[in-house]
Amino acid sequence: MEPEYNEAARKVKERKEREARLAAEKQDRYQSVLNRFIAEGRSALRAFALSNRTNFIDKEAASIYYGIIAVAHKMKLSLGTKEGITSAVNNFLSGMSWRDCSKFHVECVTNWTHLFAERDVTYEPSIIDNFISFVDYMSCSAETYTSLGGSNGCADQLTNWDGTRKLGLEAITKKKGQSY
């Protein structure tokens, strides 16, 4: 009876070790996905900082917005309070590379980012929940990563992960100059 007990105990121990290793790997992938959103947002903000534009283009705005949400989630900051948003933005900006930018330009972009994050966008709980679910999903799909700034994901799905409508396989596309 003892050999069977020892074998069962060994298998339980191996299973627990495997489950702990898999959980740690998933957490590492989860943090990696968050880091990629943060890096993408910072890259978009850097591109804006090096341009002569006075406003974000849609793709930059989306990347910056989700980068700030990723920072807040990673740092466990509430985006339901002004203090939480300000802290998330400050943390997001602290990782920026300001190389090739004048002090004045850095100050302008920093202020513009604060205005954007604190006044121009909303942090609806449903959007944040969808973002977190998406990050969780991506962390389970080890090698898959979709940029929030420009990818449309699978075309056979009717909505993006954040609930916005996307073009499906059956949708009629309109070419430039064509009317229906």
Side-chain angles (χ1 to χ4, degrees):
M1 189 67 110
E2 197 170 300
E4 290 91 15
Y5 176 77
N6 290 341
E7 179 66 18
R10 183 185 62 73
K11 286 183 178 182
V12 167
K13 181 182 175 190
E14 287 174 357
R15 188 191 79 225
K16 286 183 178 182
E17 288 171 350
R18 183 177 58 249
E19 287 172 354
R21 188 183 71 253
L22 291 173
E25 288 172 2
K26 182 180 184 274
Q27 183 59 30
D28 288 346
R29 287 191 306 268
Y30 188 88
Q31 292 300 318
S32 177
V33 172
L34 286 174
N35 289 339
R36 286 189 276 183
F37 282 119
I38 294 166
E40 187 174 298
R42 286 176 177 154
S43 177
L45 187 59
R46 177 156 172 73
F48 171 73
L50 294 174
S51 75
N52 291 328
R53 289 180 283 113
T54 58
N55 206 345
F56 301 134
I57 58 173
D58 289 344
K59 185 177 178 179
E60 286 170 340
S63 292
I64 293 164
Y65 175 70
Y66 290 116
I68 292 168
I69 292 175
V71 164
H73 183 64
K74 191 171 180 153
M75 310 272 317
K76 297 177 179 19
L77 299 169
S78 170
L79 291 173
T81 66
K82 183 168 174 23
E83 295 80 22
I85 295 169
T86 300
S87 294
V89 173
N90 286 337
N91 187 286
F92 179 75
L93 291 169
S94 72
M96 286 289 302
S97 167
W98 296 109
R99 187 175 27 89
D100 300 329
C101 293
S102 69
K103 268 186 150 181
F104 175 75
H105 206 66
V106 169
E107 189 175 329
C108 289
V109 171
T110 299
N111 288 332
W112 181 246
T113 305
H114 273 282
L115 286 172
F116 166 76
E118 295 167 4
R119 294 188 182 154
D120 290 351
V121 294
T122 58
Y123 301 98
E124 305 256 341
S126 62
I127 293 171
I128 294 170
D129 290 345
N130 283 345
F131 175 79
I132 293 166
S133 295
F134 182 72
V135 170
D136 191 50
Y137 169 77
M138 293 306 293
S139 67
C140 291
S141 312
E143 295 302 316
T144 350
Y145 173 72
T146 305
S147 163
L148 282 179
S151 176
N152 221 14
C154 298
D156 62 344
Q157 296 172 346
L158 297 177
T159 59
N160 292 308
W161 66 270
D162 64 353
T164 57
R165 192 158 189 262
K166 73 164 83 170
L167 230 50
L169 290 174
E170 302 296 321
I172 300 171
T173 57
K174 193 173 173 181
K175 292 184 181 175
K176 197 173 186 177
Q178 209 174 15
S179 62
Y180 291 105

